[in-house]
Amino acid sequence: MEFPVDMSNPAVQEFLSLIRLQVLTPLSLLINIVTVLVCSVIVKPSIFDVIQLYPASISPHPAWLSVYIILIYLFQVGYCLLLVLARSTDTQKALVKAVGASLVFANWAMALWAIAWVLRMFLLSTILLGIVLLLLIYSNIALLVYHAPTYTRPFDMALIHAPLRFFMILPFSLLFPYSLFITLGLSYSPDHPEDYARHPWPGFAVVMSVNLVSLVMILFRRDIIWAIAATWICISIWTASPKPVPVFITVVLFTVLHPLALITALVYDQLSHRQGQIALAEDDADSRRRPARHGQASPTPQAHGLGLAHGSRQEEPGPREVDVEGVWGT
């Protein structure tokens, strides 16, 4: 059977890819939400029960973690709406080329992670979180390189860049290293809370490294989403007390540093912009007041482009009187 359109046409292929994503992305999100909800409310032990059964130096507070996950889902609902309603060619290319099926696979992997987590299959859980992290890192890099955020497309910033970055920071800063810690035996029994100070330095190395990366991104990219997400995760760690002193001090310090760095960077940008405008105005004024060189009169605003100021016109030498008698010798 032959179709009336050329299926090898790149425009047709992009359109079909968009149609597939409009179906698969909401479906994967729905599966992710339902699986995590069942594993959090119905299944025992739940996702948050497992966190309390395996405390570690970087384990989060369940309440802060649950709110973060809800925000991820709300962001993705907005992403799915944009996926259906987008009419701009640039927006559609960002959805198809940069994000594509990566978000679909990430949602499926998160659903499988929830099942592995409640079954306490921590090695599988770590592998799945690593897959989620790689998929989201790829999508975020593709967005930044080929479809950089711009204020001319605010919906792209709010409903494409923000959801992908907010989703990526969770496994990057918390879930993947925490699952790896449990896999490697770097946790302690809740029946012995006095062991909370065991393995402080691996926890310190993790929170210091991921927060330094976050701080650099906030400073150089003025990334509001990254600042909010990194601060939220720091709060979720130090509120789940007790924590080893190196970990506690580090996350409290970065809880203050992340928003402070963002505010400082934004204020610096505003001051630099204003100083640039003042410098341009002064340069323009200096060029008009520049003194004459090589005997040429400097232009004034009243005669700009004429080379002479009003009221200072130089008199051209007129015709001289000829001494007729001196010429003819009479």
Side-chain angles (χ1 to χ4, degrees), residues 30-302:
L30 181 61
I31 292 172
N32 187 357
I33 293 174
V34 171
T35 306
V36 171
L37 185 63
V38 169
C39 293
S40 300
V41 178
I42 299 176
V43 176
K44 297 298 178 182
S46 66
I47 291 176
F48 304 112
D49 291 337
V50 174
I51 293 176
Q52 294 176 347
L53 289 172
Y54 294 88
S57 58
I58 60 171
S59 56
H61 194 287
W64 286 88
L65 178 61
S66 60
V67 174
Y68 192 104
I69 294 174
I70 291 172
L71 290 175
I72 289 176
Y73 292 150
L74 291 177
F75 267 130
Q76 286 201 51
V77 169
Y79 175 89
C80 292
L81 290 175
L82 183 65
L83 193 62
V84 175
L85 301 176
R87 294 295 177 265
S88 170
T89 304
D90 293 332
T91 301
Q92 291 179 352
K93 286 183 177 179
L95 293 167
V96 174
K97 299 290 187 180
V99 182
S102 297
L103 185 58
V104 176
F105 293 138
N107 280 326
W108 276 98
M110 279 298 294
L112 294 174
W113 164 80
I115 297 172
W117 185 259
V118 296
L119 293 177
R120 292 183 248 190
M121 303 170 63
F122 295 116
L123 178 59
L124 178 59
S125 164
T126 306
I127 294 173
L128 290 170
L129 288 171
I131 293 172
V132 172
L133 182 58
L134 290 176
L135 290 169
L136 295 174
I137 287 175
Y138 166 78
S139 294
N140 278 275
I141 291 176
L143 282 172
L144 290 177
V145 172
Y146 299 107
H147 304 277
T150 172
Y151 289 107
T152 59
R153 296 200 301 273
F155 286 106
D156 290 16
M157 293 177 61
L159 299 179
I160 300 178
H161 291 270
L164 268 295
R165 198 165 303 129
F166 202 73
F167 193 1
M168 179 195 71
I169 293 170
L170 180 61
F172 170 73
S173 298
L174 182 59
L175 290 185
F176 176 75
Y178 176 43
S179 181
L180 183 62
F181 270 36
I182 299 176
T183 305
L184 297 177
L186 300 179
S187 60
Y188 62 93
S189 173
D191 297 329
H192 298 280
E194 66 277 6
D195 294 338
Y196 77 94
R198 293 176 59 189
H199 316 297
W201 298 113
F204 169 78
V206 167
V207 295
M208 177 62 74
S209 57
V210 298
N211 280 287
L212 282 176
V213 172
S214 299
L215 188 65
V216 170
M217 295 299 295
I218 293 167
L219 282 173
F220 285 93
R221 296 199 56 83
R222 281 67 170 156
D223 199 318
I224 298 174
I225 293 297
W226 204 305
I228 294 172
T231 305
W232 195 291
I233 288 174
C234 285
I235 295 173
S236 73
I237 292 175
W238 62 257
T239 51
S241 59
K243 283 288 184 287
V245 174
V247 175
F248 181 81
I249 293 176
T250 303
V251 291
V252 170
L253 178 64
F254 279 104
T255 302
V256 177
L257 283 179
H258 290 322
L260 183 62
L262 177 64
I263 294 171
T264 303
L266 294 176
V267 171
Y268 175 78
D269 280 350
Q270 291 295 323
L271 293 177
S272 300
H273 181 67
R274 291 181 182 179
Q275 289 177 356
Q277 289 181 335
I278 294 172
L280 287 174
E282 289 178 350
D283 290 343
D284 187 57
D286 289 342
S287 66
R288 295 179 180 181
R289 294 195 301 266
R290 188 175 293 118
R293 295 181 180 178
H294 305 294
Q296 296 180 354
S298 60
T300 62
Q302 291 83 2

